Amino acid sequence: MGTMNRDGAQYALRVSDVSKRYRSVRGKGKGGGPGWFFGRKTAGEGGPGFHLDQVTLDLPMGYIMGLIGPNGAGKSTLIRLILNMTARDSGDIQVLGLDNLGPEEAIKSQLGVVFDSIYLNEQWYVEAAERVMAPFYPKWDRARYADYLKRFGLQPRQKIKKLSRGMQMKLMLAIALSHDARLLILDEPTSGLDVLSRDELMDTLIDYVSDGRHSVLLSTHITSDLEEVADFITYINAGSVYYTGPKDEFEDAFLLVKGGPGDVSPGQGSLIQGMRSYPTGFDALIRSEDRCTFLEEATGSAGPAAGGRYLFQRADFDTVMRLTGRRAGSGQAGEAGPDGDSTAPDRGGRANDRQDEKEEVL
């Protein structure tokens, strides 16, 4: 059973203040001797100097959470920590109500996992995958596996190495879905899938959680998929959680502002979460709750005097990541701000009142 909250809801996954730091390359210690140092620049996620910083998220039972962020942000590191494939430095991880460092067989028999690359022996036939994998799962369902093979167009006598990347992903999904896993952890499962196959997978996931007993953690760069199926979003940026919570609140929390060249005051710059400048103007991201203040900083009032100077649009997932995303070790979020410094992401992510989904010229 999952951990119970005050409202009686069960949690499929709880991550609390989890940190992981990777040591950098060996350097010189005091007096010229050997030593370790933590480099300011990193080699990307999981590389020397990279660190995941106090990550916290809650996934209730019966829901789908999307895990998003730029390459190297820490998504795959977090998944490895949840699966106890990498040792955490601090924090707590509860999977289906159990400490993930505890009874691993009891936990992992209830998990379905799909990585972004094939983990099966490519010399096997598709039918051999069941013979090898089924003994690990007490609730393996042969009829369900056969049904998924048929649904995904997989032939039992096909060799895995002869399958396309997309078909290999479908095979791993068939395995993950065939033993009544309570929690699916999917790392880029739609990689290599065409649009119809992605739609089919999204429909499968919606059906999978509909009984309230199953949950999904879905890491993907294809954010349009999440707009259709996700109930919650966790956005990781440069090893830190930028936002975690309901998807609708994430979508309502930010606005994209478009303006002319140099049309940003220092006061407005303090409200900008990320910005990119062009010869013809700029794109900037602000929190929805700061819209009136943003206009006041430009005109001294939020009245008609600012009319026509700015275009406000609802910011989608890709826009938020594009303007706030930092690659690990770059020290930058988006482009340089109005004062010449790059704007840094602001943790949090509480939404204000719902904004109109259509563009609005003020």
Side-chain angles (χ1 to χ4, degrees):
M1 299 292 287
T3 305
M4 304 293 288
N5 70 8
R6 292 178 181 176
D7 299 324
Q10 296 179 352
Y11 288 105
L13 176 65
R14 305 198 78 180
V15 177
S16 303
D17 293 324
V18 167
S19 296
K20 172 67 179 179
R21 182 180 291 271
Y22 290 90
R23 286 179 168 178
S24 74
V25 296
R26 185 180 293 273
K28 291 184 178 180
K30 293 183 178 179
W36 288 101
F37 64 89
F38 296 107
R40 296 181 64 185
K41 292 186 177 181
T42 73
E45 180 178 347
F50 176 81
H51 65 277
L52 206 63
D53 185 25
Q54 295 183 315
V55 170
T56 294
L57 62 89
D58 289 332
L59 172 57
M61 191 67 74
Y63 294 93
I64 298 173
M65 173 177 283
L67 182 62
I68 62 174
N71 290 334
K75 303 185 300 297
S76 294
T77 295
L78 176 59
I79 288 174
R80 290 196 297 269
L81 289 168
I82 292 169
L83 297 173
N84 197 24
M85 297 172 65
T86 298
R88 62 181 183 259
D89 294 336
S90 60
D92 180 70
I93 299 176
Q94 297 281 321
V95 179
L96 301 171
L98 300 173
D99 188 324
N100 79 321
L101 300 182
E104 286 203 74
E105 287 189 16
I107 294 172
K108 291 183 177 178
S109 66
Q110 300 182 75
L111 299 181
V113 181
V114 174
F115 295 110
D116 60 352
S117 58
I118 190 75
Y119 57 79
L120 301 169
N121 188 326
E122 294 189 355
Q123 298 301 320
W124 292 348
Y125 290 98
V126 169
E127 63 183 4
E130 179 181 20
R131 292 198 301 270
V132 174
M133 301 302 295
F136 292 101
Y137 301 105
K139 294 186 179 180
W140 183 269
D141 189 328
R142 295 190 63 184
R144 181 177 298 178
Y145 181 70
D147 180 66
Y148 278 119
L149 293 187
K150 183 177 180 180
R151 185 185 305 184
F152 293 155
L154 290 160
Q155 301 298 320
R157 291 299 297 173
Q158 285 180 296
K159 266 200 170 184
I160 294 175
K161 71 176 183 179
K162 295 292 184 65
L163 299 176
S164 67
R165 178 174 172 81
M167 296 301 282
Q168 289 180 347
M169 297 301 292
K170 288 183 176 182
L171 175 57
M172 291 191 293
L173 284 165
I175 294 170
L177 292 165
S178 295
H179 57 89
D180 194 33
R182 299 288 302 284
L183 172 62
L184 285 184
I185 299 178
L186 310 179
D187 189 3
E188 299 293 341
T190 56
S191 175
L193 298 184
D194 57 42
V195 173
L196 293 178
S197 295
R198 283 180 14 228
D199 287 346
E200 181 182 17
L201 172 59
M202 295 303 111
D203 290 341
T204 299
L205 296 182
I206 292 172
D207 182 64
Y208 174 80
V209 301
S210 62
D211 63 359
R213 297 180 57 253
H214 302 88
S215 299
V216 178
L217 179 65
L218 172 59
S219 174
T220 181
H221 286 94
I222 305 175
T223 56
S224 59
D225 293 339
L226 299 180
E227 291 172 355
E228 297 297 324
V229 304
D231 304 293
F232 296 88
I233 292 292
T234 293
Y235 171 28
I236 296 181
N237 183 23
S240 298
V241 173
Y242 192 95
Y243 173 90
T244 185
K247 180 193 68 175
D248 291 344
E249 292 188 11
F250 181 86
E251 293 176 327
D252 294 340
F254 301 100
L255 289 172
L256 173 65
V257 186
K258 293 178 178 288
D263 201 9
V264 178
S265 71
Q268 289 174 312
S270 65
L271 302 173
I272 291 175
Q273 305 295 307
M275 179 175 173
R276 288 196 173 185
S277 299
Y278 310 96
T280 56
F282 68 87
D283 291 344
L285 190 76
I286 65 171
R287 294 194 179 278
S288 299
E289 61 197 29
D290 292 333
R291 183 172 70 171
C292 290
T293 305
F294 184 87
L295 292 173
E296 289 169 358
E297 291 292 340
T299 65
S301 70
R309 290 181 63 183
Y310 303 105
L311 179 69
F312 289 81
Q313 299 175 339
R314 186 181 183 187
D316 58 21
F317 295 148
D318 289 335
T319 297
V320 174
M321 287 194 293
R322 177 170 62 89
L323 294 177
T324 63
R326 295 183 299 170
R327 296 190 183 277
S330 70
Q332 294 182 339
E335 294 287 332
D339 56 359
D341 295 326
S342 55
T343 53
D346 179 20
R347 294 185 195 175
R350 298 300 302 168
N352 201 17
D353 294 335
R354 176 174 289 275
Q355 304 294 334
D356 196 314
E357 295 186 9
K358 298 181 179 180
E359 299 180 359
E360 181 178 0
V361 179
L362 299 181

